[in-house]
Amino acid sequence: MTSVNCFDFDELCQRTSVPGETLVTIVEHGIITPINSVAPRWQFDISTVWVVRRAVRLQRELELDWQGAALALELLDENQRLRDENERLRQRLLRFVAAL
């Protein structure tokens, strides 16, 4: 293991059970980005394990190409960000109304 907070390419392949060629494709489509971009010594943040697994599941279950999986992930992340923002605003509104 290269560091407590990151994995190298081979470690990420092992942790996600994804072949190296698939991982390269995922990087090429911008789904994940190496911490350092010097191939073949790529390193990845530990959170990329979850992203890779999610992308592979979307690609397989929805029968998407990798570009479609990248877009789906982006839209899902944006949806979650908007939900979180909506909840924060709702809480602020409730505090404001309670203060009246």
Side-chain angles (χ1 to χ4, degrees):
M1 187 174 264
T2 55
S3 168
V4 175
N5 296 325
C6 64
F7 298 122
D8 67 20
F9 183 84
D10 293 330
E11 290 168 326
L12 187 57
C13 288
Q14 289 176 339
R15 300 264 180 181
T16 58
S17 301
V18 171
E21 342 169 306
T22 302
L23 195 59
V24 168
T25 301
I26 291 171
V27 170
E28 288 172 346
H29 282 88
I31 295 171
I32 59 170
T33 304
I35 294 171
N36 70 341
S37 58
V38 181
R41 302 193 59 108
W42 284 339
Q43 290 184 334
F44 300 89
D45 184 85
I46 57 174
S47 64
T48 32
V49 170
W50 184 77
V51 176
V52 169
R53 287 180 180 160
R54 192 174 182 204
V56 169
R57 189 175 64 247
L58 280 169
Q59 188 267 339
R60 182 183 33 220
E61 290 177 4
L62 300 178
E63 299 178 5
L64 299 171
D65 60 13
W66 287 110
Q67 192 171 7
L71 179 59
L73 283 171
E74 186 178 324
L75 292 172
L76 288 167
D77 290 344
E78 178 68 8
N79 185 25
Q80 186 60 51
R81 187 191 67 74
L82 291 170
R83 285 176 185 266
D84 293 344
E85 182 180 357
N86 188 39
E87 181 60 23
R88 282 190 305 275
L89 291 171
R90 190 177 74 71
Q91 292 297 323
R92 286 178 63 189
L93 179 61
L94 289 173
R95 285 193 302 271
F96 177 73
V97 169
L100 293 178

